[in-house]
């Protein structure tokens, strides 16, 4: 895993792809209702923009409701899994983050450790008990146009840190914002909304 920490990154240091497999940690001053106190896992980053999934905002929905919509029986008894709000774009579309050891019809390998799948077959596999052991399901995603994310980072809206799969899959969602910042040695609860980069 890339150990380079980009928390102090300047606009010029952010090359296309450099934020892939990183967490974006919302600074306390970021008051956008979609992203306040969020951690976003960046799945794609290029000169055309970036795409990621918010991993710490729960929807009122559980996986059983997705199974019901898809007319699937919950044979694996995993229906109480919470579905996360991945971002404000295409909120009717589902995405699954999971370890990279399994491939599905529409799987993007983000890193050797983590893949993103957006096809029906992984949901069917989860219902039948054939899916990945660890996973996080979101509805919607977060997207940025060309240069937009880099400009937001330069404006101190976000901290960045290499992603940690333990935070994605094993840390309670309410603790992910704090846990991701702790990887930088920062207590985000102590940062005022006017602070710059740590």
């Amino acid at each position: 895993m890339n150990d380079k920490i980009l928390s102090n990154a300047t606009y010029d240091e952010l090359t296309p792809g450099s934020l892939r497999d990183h967490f974006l940690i919302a600074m306390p001053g970021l008051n956008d209702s979609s992203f306040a106190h969020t951690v976003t896992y960046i799945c794609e980053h290029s000169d055309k923009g970036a795409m990621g999934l918010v991993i710490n905002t729960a929807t009122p929905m559980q996986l059983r409701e997705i199974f019901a919509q898809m007319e699937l029986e919950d044979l694996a008894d995993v229906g109480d899994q919470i579905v996360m709000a991945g971002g404000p774009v295409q909120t009717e579309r589902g995405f699954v983050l999971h370890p990279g050891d399994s491939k599905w019809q529409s799987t993007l390998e983000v890193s050797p450790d983590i893949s993103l799948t957006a096809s029906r077959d992984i949901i069917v596999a989860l219902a039948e008990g054939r899916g990945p052991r660890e996973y996080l399901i979101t509805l919607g995603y977060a997207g940025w146009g060309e240069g937009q994310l880099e400009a937001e980072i330069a404006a101190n809206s976000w901290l960045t840190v290499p992603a940690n799969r333990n935070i994605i899959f094993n840390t309670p969602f309410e603790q992910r914002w704090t846990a991701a910042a702790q990887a930088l040695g920062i207590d985000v609860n102590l940062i005022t909304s006017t602070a710059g980069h740590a």
Side-chain angles (χ1 to χ4, degrees):
M1 187 175 282
N2 180 2
D3 290 330
K4 184 181 178 194
I5 294 177
L6 293 168
S7 62
N8 301 333
T10 65
Y11 184 88
D12 296 334
E13 293 171 318
L14 294 175
T15 58
S18 64
L19 292 175
R20 186 179 178 135
D21 191 37
H22 278 66
F23 288 145
L24 283 185
I25 305 163
M27 288 288 282
L30 183 63
N31 294 320
D32 181 309
S33 60
S34 297
F35 294 106
H37 296 93
T38 59
V39 179
T40 303
Y41 177 67
I42 298 298
C43 302
E44 192 58 81
H45 178 225
S46 71
D47 56 1
K48 295 181 176 63
M51 176 268 181
L53 300 175
V54 176
I55 63 165
N56 69 324
T57 304
T59 70
M61 184 181 286
Q62 293 182 322
L63 182 53
R64 67 171 47 87
E65 295 172 64
I66 294 177
F67 289 159
Q69 289 173 11
M70 296 175 65
E71 299 180 358
L72 298 172
E73 193 177 341
D74 183 10
L75 300 174
D77 195 28
V78 292
D80 59 354
Q81 177 83 23
I82 294 171
V83 176
M84 307 306 288
V89 184
Q90 291 189 2
T91 54
E92 73 291 340
R93 188 168 176 207
F95 299 88
V96 183
L97 284 176
H98 55 89
D101 50 12
S102 52
K103 298 283 181 282
W104 309 91
Q105 222 169 13
S106 173
T107 298
L108 168 72
E109 183 180 293
V110 181
S111 75
D113 270 351
I114 300 172
S115 291
L116 170 70
T117 297
S119 47
R120 175 186 170 90
D121 56 343
I122 193 169
I123 301 296
V124 173
L126 288 171
E128 295 177 352
R130 299 181 293 105
R133 199 169 45 82
E134 296 178 309
Y135 56 93
L136 181 140
I137 299 174
T138 79
L139 289 176
Y141 69 92
W144 292 265
E146 180 181 348
Q148 184 183 0
L149 180 56
E150 292 84 347
E152 290 179 11
I153 290 170
N156 291 335
S157 294
W158 305 97
L159 293 170
T160 61
V161 64
N164 177 321
R165 65 177 276 172
N166 189 53
I167 291 175
I168 296 173
F169 299 121
N170 301 313
T171 302
F173 73 87
E174 307 93 335
Q175 298 171 22
R176 290 175 188 157
W177 186 58
T178 304
Q182 282 173 344
L184 288 169
I186 294 169
D187 183 343
V188 281
N189 298 302
L190 298 179
I191 299 175
T192 67
S193 60
T194 55
H197 285 309

